[in-house]
Amino acid sequence: VDEFGMTPFHVLFSNAEPRGELLEVLLHKLPYHVLGWKNANGKLAMDYLIANWTQENKMLLQMALQSWMFGRLERWCATSWRTAMIPLVNTLL
C-alpha cells in the first residue's frame, strides 16, 4: 500500500486496460480481503474498475468479486453454497 492507500488492485484497476493475467497473479499472491480496502479517497479498487467500465472489464470484475465474496467460504469449507452462489453473482454483472 502506498501513501495514498492504493493497493496493487487499485493500481491495476485504475489502468485504462487492466490485464486479467495480472489480476490472477494478484488474487493468488494477496489475501482476498485486500480487495475490501479503501484508499485515501475512500474508494475500493473495484470502484476504479467500474468507473472505467468496458465489456472486457466484466470478466475482471467477476474474478475480483468471486475472490472477495467467496474467499472466506473456502476457509469454512462451504463449497456447496459457494458453488450455488457463483452463478447468481455472475447474473448481476
Side-chain angles (χ1 to χ4, degrees):
V1 178
D2 67 13
E3 61 270 12
F4 301 107
M6 300 281 280
T7 67
F9 293 112
H10 284 92
V11 174
L12 175 64
F13 291 162
S14 63
N15 189 313
E17 294 182 20
R19 294 182 39 212
E21 301 85 15
L22 292 176
L23 177 58
E24 286 181 20
V25 170
L26 292 177
L27 290 173
H28 289 290
K29 295 291 183 182
L30 298 174
Y32 66 87
H33 65 270
V34 174
L35 282 164
W37 291 358
K38 294 182 178 180
N39 65 9
N41 293 320
K43 292 187 176 187
L44 296 169
M46 288 181 275
D47 292 333
Y48 290 94
L49 188 62
I50 293 168
N52 297 321
W53 189 253
T54 64
Q55 207 46 32
E56 292 79 23
N57 286 352
K58 180 179 177 179
M59 180 194 66
L60 300 179
L61 185 60
Q62 287 174 334
M63 290 169 57
L65 283 174
Q66 286 177 6
S67 177
W68 188 38
M69 295 175 70
F70 301 120
R72 293 180 194 165
L73 296 176
E74 289 180 2
R75 291 185 184 178
W76 296 346
C77 300
T79 54
S80 62
W81 188 84
R82 180 182 183 269
T83 303
M85 291 303 294
I86 287 174
L88 296 174
V89 169
N90 289 339
T91 62
L92 297 173
L93 301 174

